[in-house]
Amino acid sequence: MGKSEVAQMFEKLPAAFVKGSVKTPRTFYFSLDDIEKWTVALGPETCVVTPGKPDNADCFFKSTSQIFLDVWSGKRTPSATDFITGAIKSNNPLMLKEFVGAFQRNQ
């Protein structure tokens, strides 16, 4: 079986990273469908993607793979309702904007 669409997307992140877009090092954790678990560490010049859960993360995103892919592709913009209903869970929704802004997505 091939890699999931989510795995393929995460593996492309280092190439899409815009150096200088992040001022302070940050660690993001993504849990999708309770199956896909990914950690992305961003710094001013670096983007490191690893499968699995980190010991500590500055920001986490928990949802379904489909919602994540829709948000990433721009088909869906997270709303307050997504967070209130639990469709998307995050400890820092504003930091998620910083994450999205660190990548060039129209490759």
Side-chain angles (χ1 to χ4, degrees), residues 21-85:
S21 61
V22 176
K23 305 301 180 215
T24 306
R26 307 250 193 244
T27 302
F28 296 85
Y29 169 61
F30 298 86
S31 176
L32 309 172
D33 298 321
D34 290 324
I35 298 168
E36 298 269 6
K37 297 182 186 311
W38 292 89
T39 299
V40 181
L42 301 180
E45 299 291 317
T46 59
C47 171
V48 179
V49 177
T50 52
K53 183 177 182 180
D55 291 333
N56 291 303
D58 298 301
C59 182
F60 72 82
F61 178 100
K62 184 172 184 174
S63 191
T64 66
S65 294
Q66 191 59 59
I67 287 175
F68 176 76
L69 291 169
D70 286 350
V71 169
W72 183 253
S73 69
K75 290 181 189 174
R76 179 180 186 146
T77 301
S79 67
T81 303
D82 289 320
F83 293 99
I84 292 167
T85 63

Side-chain angles (χ1 to χ4, degrees), residues 19 30 103 107:
K19 289 183 178 182
F30 298 86
F103 299 95
Q107 287 189 356

